Amino acid sequence: MREESLTAIRAALEPDQRFYEDVVADDLTWQGNIFSAHLLDVALSDGSLGKREIVRHCGGAGVVAVDDEGRVCLVRQYRVAAGRMTVEIPAGKLDASEGAEICAARELAEETGLHAGRLEHLVSDCGSIGFTDEHTEVFLARDLVAGEADPDEGEFISALWIPLDDAVDFVLAGLIKDGKTVAGLLAAKVVLDRC
């Protein structure tokens, strides 16, 4: 069954001209420090034209840090866009020409003071693929060594350690909603259960 499913997924991901949208104009409408907004004119496969509002973003990296007791380190912070407190995995945006693994290690150390003896790629999360190219590469961190956190200026966060199994339950209960965190915690649970 797995081979059949893999074949079906690979076939579904192959280019298909029936669905293709050709960008014929790209109007940069706003440029910020973190992202840019674009209005695209696209030619559709049936010959008609359409418009797409797209956000371009440099991407980011996140870390599911799991200790020897099976606890995961999450960070609490206020997110003004959501208007509430959130619980998330340590994460941040990629600096210019920075690789995702380097970004993940840097963000883990800055936000929690933790250093990973091992970082393994877990999953790629495209948070809202309908309008943005933002993606977050999520890593599993193990063999953790504690140090001093050094968050960015204006970044107010605190670390929270809970069992990974509980974190997964909290995802399923809707208490943890952040996309990269949901994807990372669920992927970490599957990977660690297979070990």
Side-chain angles (χ1 to χ4, degrees), residues 98-145:
E98 179 181 47
E101 188 170 342
I102 291 169
C103 176
R106 175 179 52 77
E107 289 292 339
L108 180 65
E110 287 177 4
E111 294 186 3
T112 69
L114 295 171
H115 300 274
R118 288 188 290 165
L119 269 179
E120 306 161 44
H121 188 263
L122 271 177
V123 67
S124 299
D125 175 53
C126 295
S128 192
I129 206 163
F131 79 93
T132 181
D133 64 356
E134 180 182 8
H135 63 282
T136 304
E137 301 303 324
V138 181
F139 294 82
L140 174 63
R142 293 192 265 185
D143 301 334
L144 304 173
V145 177

Side-chain angles (χ1 to χ4, degrees), residues 35 50 54 59 65 67 95 97 99 105 128 133 139 141 143 147 150 152 155 157 165 172 185 191-194:
F35 64 88
I54 303 293
D67 69 9
D95 287 342
S97 70
S128 192
D133 64 356
F139 294 82
D143 301 334
D150 185 24
D152 292 334
E155 184 176 42
I157 58 177
D165 287 344
L172 298 175
L185 292 172
V191 167
L192 292 173
D193 282 355
R194 289 181 178 172

Side-chain angles (χ1 to χ4, degrees), residues 73-97:
C73 183
L74 300 171
V75 292
R76 290 181 72 225
Q77 60 189 320
Y78 183 82
R79 292 294 196 179
V80 71
R84 64 179 178 81
M85 293 296 296
T86 66
V87 177
E88 305 173 30
I89 58 174
K93 70 177 186 67
L94 296 173
D95 287 342
S97 70

